[in-house]
């Protein structure tokens, strides 16, 4: 194998271009290998300016050609064979492949899990993953508390305060798991008053859970969030992705995605929408998106049962009314995402009542 970088290595068309003149890549080419060359240029070369349509279609068109020429002209004799050529052409052949590959190897040394990101994008994603860890840790801590489970597995006693009941109500709304116990009910009057103020349509707390499946559901929920937390601490591959399709399927407005059919591949792929403030207005939006994608991988959740791919107008602490069972909710990354949002200290149910759609 000629290519040394992880970004390029193993791609048969790139490997061929690196060793064989007839396999060089030039205008008119398209496919995954072109996309990788485009993304490498964008990552390594500040002057790279490739049109969105060419990136989306992974097509070697006019702007890719201009960028290749500019790159080769900047790198000079390292990529231009002056024995027969005076000025750079727009062909990605052996010398250009070797140069790009070598520069990618250097980039990968700094951050072996990050592929094709520009430096500022990479810094943003790292910050977002750190933020996702904090947010998920908040969830785990609150679930432990209402479950009366200490960090070491021992028992803790949670005061029957507003936070306690509010957390249990959110678990019920989003995951359809009733964690209310006999001695929780009735709730103190001041707590009920506040729940009525905060939760639109609050009609009182449910009966205590009579069902062992609720206890089981709560254990699974806590375990799943603990696993999610651990999965954010483990290294996983992150990749900036520019094509408009993945394995032939259109990506539409996905900000990030994983190959959910192939759970061995833990890569989280980030699209340009992830870095678009219109689509991802806050860091917390991006952080829960990362958590969502990790859920797909670690729970082997292929799809979004109950909600489909684009649930609209969901209030985080209420969950989606189309999700009707804990079985569905526990396999739907959106439910984890909404619940994480609803579990943050600064989240106030009242302020999110009309999330998205009003009414
Ligand atoms: Zn998803």
């Amino acid at each position: 194998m000629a290519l040394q970088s992880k970004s390029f290595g193993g791609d048969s068309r790139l490997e061929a271009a690196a060793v064989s003149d007839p396999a060089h890549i030039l205008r008119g080419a398209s496919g995954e290998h072109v996309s990788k060359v485009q993304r490498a240029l964008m990552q390594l070369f500040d002057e790279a300016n490739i049109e969105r349509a060419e990136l989306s279609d992974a097509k070697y068109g006019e702007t890719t050609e201009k960028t290749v020429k500019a790159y080769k002209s900047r790198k000079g004799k390292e990529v231009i064979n002056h024995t027969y050529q005076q000025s750079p052409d727009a062909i990605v052949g052996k010398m250009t492949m070797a140069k790009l590959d070598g520069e990618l190897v250097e980039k990968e040394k700094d951050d072996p899990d990050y592929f094709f990101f520009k430096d500022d994008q990479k810094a943003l994603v790292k910050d977002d993953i750190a933020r996702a860890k904090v947010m998920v840790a908040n969830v785990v801590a609150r679930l432990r508390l209402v479950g009366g489970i200490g960090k070491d597995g021992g028992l803790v006693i949670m005061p029957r305060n507003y936070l306690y009941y509010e957390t249990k109500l959110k678990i019920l709304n989003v995951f359809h798991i009733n964690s209310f116990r006999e001695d929780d009910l009735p709730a103190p009057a001041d707590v009920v008053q506040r729940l009525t103020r905060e939760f639109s349509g609050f009609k009182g707390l449910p009966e205590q859970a009579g069902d062992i499946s609720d206890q089981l559901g709560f254990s699974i929920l806590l375990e799943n969030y603990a696993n999610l937390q651990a999965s954010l601490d483990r290294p996983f591959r992150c990749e900036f992705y520019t094509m408009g399709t993945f394995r032939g399927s259109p990506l539409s407005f996905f900000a990030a995605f994983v190959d959910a059919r192939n759970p061995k591949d833990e890569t989280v792929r980030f699209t340009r929408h992830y870095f678009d403030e219109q689509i991802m207005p806050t860091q917390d939006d991006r952080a829960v998106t990362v958590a969502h994608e990790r859920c797909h991988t670690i729970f082997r959740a292929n799809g979004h049962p109950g909600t489909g791919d684009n649930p609209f107008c969901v209030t985080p602490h209420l969950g989606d009314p189309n999700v009707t069972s804990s079985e569905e909710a526990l396999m739907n990354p959106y439910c984890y995402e909404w619940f994480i949002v609803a579990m943050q200290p600064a989240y106030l149910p009242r302020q999110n009542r009309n999330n998205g759609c009003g009414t």
Side-chain angles (χ1 to χ4, degrees), residues 254 256-258 292-293 296 301 303-304 308-309 332-334 337:
F254 281 142
F257 68 98
V258 294
H292 175 122
E293 297 310 327
H296 275 297
H304 309 108
D309 284 344
N332 188 330
Y334 280 118
E337 182 179 337

Side-chain angles (χ1 to χ4, degrees), residues 142 158-167 169-170 187-205 317 342 344-351 353:
R142 260 175 91 169
M158 169 79 175
R160 300 292 194 264
N161 58 15
Y162 172 75
L163 200 68
Y164 176 86
Y165 287 96
E166 194 224 41
T167 304
L169 198 51
K170 288 171 179 173
D190 62 316
V191 167
V192 174
Q193 263 176 22
R194 196 168 157 199
L195 288 173
T196 310
R197 272 204 314 275
E198 289 285 338
F199 284 70
S200 56
F202 178 71
K203 301 239 167 40
L205 293 169
H317 66 275
Q344 299 311 307
Y347 181 91
L348 292 174
R350 209 177 342 151
Q351 286 179 353
R353 270 183 194 175

Side-chain angles (χ1 to χ4, degrees), residues 203-229:
K203 301 239 167 40
L205 293 169
E207 302 272 290
Q208 67 180 80
D211 201 328
I212 188 82
S213 72
D214 281 304
Q215 280 176 44
L216 191 63
F218 183 83
S219 315
I220 294 169
L221 185 64
L222 178 55
E223 195 187 339
N224 280 0
Y225 270 108
N227 283 336
L228 176 59
Q229 184 178 27

Side-chain angles (χ1 to χ4, degrees), residues 29-44:
S30 66
E32 182 86 42
H33 66 305
V34 173
S35 175
K36 286 180 185 171
V37 169
Q38 289 170 329
R39 285 180 282 161
L41 286 164
M42 286 162 65
Q43 182 186 20
L44 301 168

Side-chain angles (χ1 to χ4, degrees), residues 88-304:
D89 55 33
I91 294 168
V92 178
K94 291 193 284 195
M95 290 174 88
T96 313
M97 282 303 300
K99 185 66 192 161
L100 286 170
D101 188 52
E103 291 189 352
L104 286 169
V105 167
E106 284 307 305
K107 275 277 171 197
E108 289 168 2
K109 273 184 195 158
D110 303 337
D111 289 293
D113 302 316
Y114 289 79
F115 294 82
F116 298 125
F117 291 98
K118 291 182 179 192
D119 290 343
D120 55 340
Q121 291 175 326
K122 187 162 63 183
L124 189 91
V125 169
K126 283 183 174 182
D127 272 1
D128 294 347
I129 293 172
R131 175 65 188 148
K133 285 182 193 177
V134 172
M135 291 177 87
V136 173
N138 288 339
V139 178
V140 171
R142 260 175 91 169
L143 285 177
R144 280 213 176 99
L145 220 50
V146 299
I149 304 157
K151 253 194 154 158
D152 50 5
L155 285 181
V156 291
I157 301 206
M158 169 79 175
R160 300 292 194 264
N161 58 15
Y162 172 75
L163 200 68
Y164 176 86
Y165 287 96
E166 194 224 41
T167 304
K168 290 198 168 190
L169 198 51
K170 288 171 179 173
I171 295 169
L172 183 63
N173 287 342
V174 179
F175 285 103
H176 299 273
I177 295 165
N178 184 348
S179 57
F180 288 94
R181 297 152 27 150
E182 188 179 4
D183 52 354
D184 292 341
L185 302 163
D190 62 316
V191 167
V192 174
Q193 263 176 22
R194 196 168 157 199
L195 288 173
T196 310
R197 272 204 314 275
E198 289 285 338
F199 284 70
S200 56
F202 178 71
K203 301 239 167 40
L205 293 169
E207 302 272 290
Q208 67 180 80
D211 201 328
I212 188 82
S213 72
D214 281 304
Q215 280 176 44
L216 191 63
F218 183 83
S219 315
I220 294 169
L221 185 64
L222 178 55
E223 195 187 339
N224 280 0
Y225 270 108
N227 283 336
L228 176 59
Q229 184 178 27
S231 85
L232 290 166
D233 280 323
R234 283 200 310 271
F236 56 93
R237 193 184 143 111
C238 299
E239 186 181 308
F240 180 50
Y241 193 83
T242 53
M243 285 169 71
T245 54
F246 182 71
R247 306 214 194 297
S249 301
L251 292 170
S252 73
F253 280 92
F254 281 142
F257 68 98
V258 294
D259 186 358
R261 296 210 180 113
N262 177 18
K264 276 187 193 155
D265 179 4
E266 294 203 22
T267 307
V268 178
R269 295 177 177 86
F270 298 79
T271 75
R272 68 185 171 86
H273 299 303
Y274 185 88
F275 304 97
D276 183 340
E277 283 184 12
Q278 301 286 323
I279 292 168
M280 290 281 160
T282 70
Q283 181 180 33
D284 284 4
D285 294 326
R286 297 192 303 267
V288 294
T289 295
V290 173
H292 175 122
E293 297 310 327
R294 294 296 287 157
C295 285
H296 275 297
T297 303
I298 59 172
F299 306 143
R300 312 234 155 152
N302 179 10
H304 309 108

